[in-house]
PDB file of all heavy atoms in Angstrom:
ATOM      1  N   ALA A 158       9.049 -17.670  -6.906  1.00  0.00           N
ATOM      2  CA  ALA A 158      10.236 -18.393  -6.693  1.00  0.00           C
ATOM      3  C   ALA A 158      10.748 -18.175  -5.284  1.00  0.00           C
ATOM      4  O   ALA A 158      11.414 -19.135  -4.689  1.00  0.00           O
ATOM      5  CB  ALA A 158      11.250 -18.257  -7.696  1.00  0.00           C
ATOM      6  N   ASP A 159      10.750 -16.986  -4.751  1.00  0.00           N
ATOM      7  CA  ASP A 159      11.345 -16.682  -3.529  1.00  0.00           C
ATOM      8  C   ASP A 159      10.295 -16.691  -2.494  1.00  0.00           C
ATOM      9  O   ASP A 159       9.097 -16.716  -2.738  1.00  0.00           O
ATOM     10  CB  ASP A 159      11.900 -15.190  -3.577  1.00  0.00           C
ATOM     11  CG  ASP A 159      10.723 -14.222  -3.699  1.00  0.00           C
ATOM     12  OD1 ASP A 159      10.371 -13.865  -4.806  1.00  0.00           O
ATOM     13  OD2 ASP A 159      10.382 -13.631  -2.710  1.00  0.00           O
ATOM     14  N   PRO A 160      10.736 -16.977  -1.129  1.00  0.00           N
ATOM     15  CA  PRO A 160       9.770 -17.122  -0.101  1.00  0.00           C
ATOM     16  C   PRO A 160       8.705 -16.074   0.089  1.00  0.00           C
ATOM     17  O   PRO A 160       7.533 -16.330   0.330  1.00  0.00           O
ATOM     18  CB  PRO A 160      10.650 -17.202   1.188  1.00  0.00           C
ATOM     19  CG  PRO A 160      11.947 -17.653   0.593  1.00  0.00           C
ATOM     20  CD  PRO A 160      11.996 -17.085  -0.618  1.00  0.00           C
ATOM     21  N   TYR A 161       9.135 -14.791  -0.057  1.00  0.00           N
ATOM     22  CA  TYR A 161       8.153 -13.680   0.111  1.00  0.00           C
ATOM     23  C   TYR A 161       6.938 -13.708  -1.001  1.00  0.00           C
ATOM     24  O   TYR A 161       5.827 -13.832  -0.680  1.00  0.00           O
ATOM     25  CB  TYR A 161       8.850 -12.342   0.047  1.00  0.00           C
ATOM     26  CG  TYR A 161       7.746 -11.181  -0.236  1.00  0.00           C
ATOM     27  CD1 TYR A 161       6.992 -10.789   0.849  1.00  0.00           C
ATOM     28  CD2 TYR A 161       7.610 -10.633  -1.456  1.00  0.00           C
ATOM     29  CE1 TYR A 161       6.049  -9.738   0.738  1.00  0.00           C
ATOM     30  CE2 TYR A 161       6.610  -9.651  -1.652  1.00  0.00           C
ATOM     31  CZ  TYR A 161       5.904  -9.176  -0.572  1.00  0.00           C
ATOM     32  OH  TYR A 161       4.953  -8.217  -0.829  1.00  0.00           O
ATOM     33  N   SER A 162       7.404 -13.938  -2.290  1.00  0.00           N
ATOM     34  CA  SER A 162       6.410 -14.020  -3.434  1.00  0.00           C
ATOM     35  C   SER A 162       5.593 -15.177  -3.246  1.00  0.00           C
ATOM     36  O   SER A 162       4.354 -15.164  -3.392  1.00  0.00           O
ATOM     37  CB  SER A 162       7.249 -13.998  -4.710  1.00  0.00           C
ATOM     38  OG  SER A 162       7.986 -12.815  -4.880  1.00  0.00           O
ATOM     39  N   ALA A 163       6.261 -16.389  -2.832  1.00  0.00           N
ATOM     40  CA  ALA A 163       5.377 -17.592  -2.709  1.00  0.00           C
ATOM     41  C   ALA A 163       4.402 -17.501  -1.506  1.00  0.00           C
ATOM     42  O   ALA A 163       3.271 -18.011  -1.668  1.00  0.00           O
ATOM     43  CB  ALA A 163       6.255 -18.769  -2.556  1.00  0.00           C
ATOM     44  N   SER A 164       4.800 -16.792  -0.474  1.00  0.00           N
ATOM     45  CA  SER A 164       3.887 -16.572   0.615  1.00  0.00           C
ATOM     46  C   SER A 164       2.682 -15.829   0.247  1.00  0.00           C
ATOM     47  O   SER A 164       1.628 -15.970   0.726  1.00  0.00           O
ATOM     48  CB  SER A 164       4.627 -16.079   1.862  1.00  0.00           C
ATOM     49  OG  SER A 164       4.850 -14.639   1.712  1.00  0.00           O
ATOM     50  N   LYS A 165       3.004 -14.771  -0.555  1.00  0.00           N
ATOM     51  CA  LYS A 165       1.806 -13.907  -0.940  1.00  0.00           C
ATOM     52  C   LYS A 165       0.921 -14.634  -2.071  1.00  0.00           C
ATOM     53  O   LYS A 165      -0.275 -14.430  -1.934  1.00  0.00           O
ATOM     54  CB  LYS A 165       2.321 -12.593  -1.592  1.00  0.00           C
ATOM     55  CG  LYS A 165       2.923 -11.712  -0.618  1.00  0.00           C
ATOM     56  CD  LYS A 165       1.791 -11.135   0.381  1.00  0.00           C
ATOM     57  CE  LYS A 165       2.172  -9.898   1.043  1.00  0.00           C
ATOM     58  NZ  LYS A 165       1.090  -9.392   1.974  1.00  0.00           N
ATOM     59  N   ALA A 166       1.532 -15.456  -2.856  1.00  0.00           N
ATOM     60  CA  ALA A 166       0.611 -16.311  -3.754  1.00  0.00           C
ATOM     61  C   ALA A 166      -0.181 -17.381  -2.907  1.00  0.00           C
ATOM     62  O   ALA A 166      -1.230 -17.599  -3.110  1.00  0.00           O
ATOM     63  CB  ALA A 166       1.474 -17.035  -4.704  1.00  0.00           C
ATOM     64  N   ALA A 167       0.458 -17.993  -1.866  1.00  0.00           N
ATOM     65  CA  ALA A 167      -0.287 -18.671  -0.966  1.00  0.00           C
ATOM     66  C   ALA A 167      -1.266 -18.040  -0.212  1.00  0.00           C
ATOM     67  O   ALA A 167      -2.436 -18.740   0.105  1.00  0.00           O
ATOM     68  CB  ALA A 167       0.725 -19.443   0.005  1.00  0.00           C
ATOM     69  N   CYS A 168      -1.165 -16.813   0.094  1.00  0.00           N
ATOM     70  CA  CYS A 168      -2.166 -16.016   0.814  1.00  0.00           C
ATOM     71  C   CYS A 168      -3.363 -15.852  -0.134  1.00  0.00           C
ATOM     72  O   CYS A 168      -4.447 -16.056   0.372  1.00  0.00           O
ATOM     73  CB  CYS A 168      -1.529 -14.735   1.242  1.00  0.00           C
ATOM     74  SG  CYS A 168      -2.785 -13.488   1.965  1.00  0.00           S
ATOM     75  N   GLU A 169      -3.096 -15.626  -1.363  1.00  0.00           N
ATOM     76  CA  GLU A 169      -4.220 -15.554  -2.332  1.00  0.00           C
ATOM     77  C   GLU A 169      -4.984 -16.750  -2.405  1.00  0.00           C
ATOM     78  O   GLU A 169      -6.257 -16.819  -2.430  1.00  0.00           O
ATOM     79  CB  GLU A 169      -3.680 -15.232  -3.763  1.00  0.00           C
ATOM     80  CG  GLU A 169      -3.149 -13.848  -3.883  1.00  0.00           C
ATOM     81  CD  GLU A 169      -4.175 -12.782  -4.292  1.00  0.00           C
ATOM     82  OE1 GLU A 169      -5.338 -13.152  -4.499  1.00  0.00           O
ATOM     83  OE2 GLU A 169      -3.756 -11.563  -4.434  1.00  0.00           O
ATOM     84  N   ILE A 170      -4.287 -17.999  -2.427  1.00  0.00           N
ATOM     85  CA  ILE A 170      -4.962 -19.233  -2.424  1.00  0.00           C
ATOM     86  C   ILE A 170      -5.848 -19.463  -1.126  1.00  0.00           C
ATOM     87  O   ILE A 170      -7.014 -19.932  -1.304  1.00  0.00           O
ATOM     88  CB  ILE A 170      -4.021 -20.319  -2.691  1.00  0.00           C
ATOM     89  CG1 ILE A 170      -3.408 -20.322  -3.981  1.00  0.00           C
ATOM     90  CG2 ILE A 170      -4.621 -21.759  -2.421  1.00  0.00           C
ATOM     91  CD1 ILE A 170      -2.181 -21.222  -4.225  1.00  0.00           C
ATOM     92  N   ALA A 171      -5.230 -19.026  -0.034  1.00  0.00           N
ATOM     93  CA  ALA A 171      -6.018 -19.207   1.255  1.00  0.00           C
ATOM     94  C   ALA A 171      -7.250 -18.289   1.157  1.00  0.00           C
ATOM     95  O   ALA A 171      -8.344 -18.838   1.675  1.00  0.00           O
ATOM     96  CB  ALA A 171      -5.038 -18.872   2.344  1.00  0.00           C
TER      97      ALA A 171
END
Side-chain angles (χ1 to χ4, degrees):
D159 67 274
Y161 167 76
S162 300
S164 73
K165 284 297 195 177
C168 176
E169 289 274 354
I170 293 170

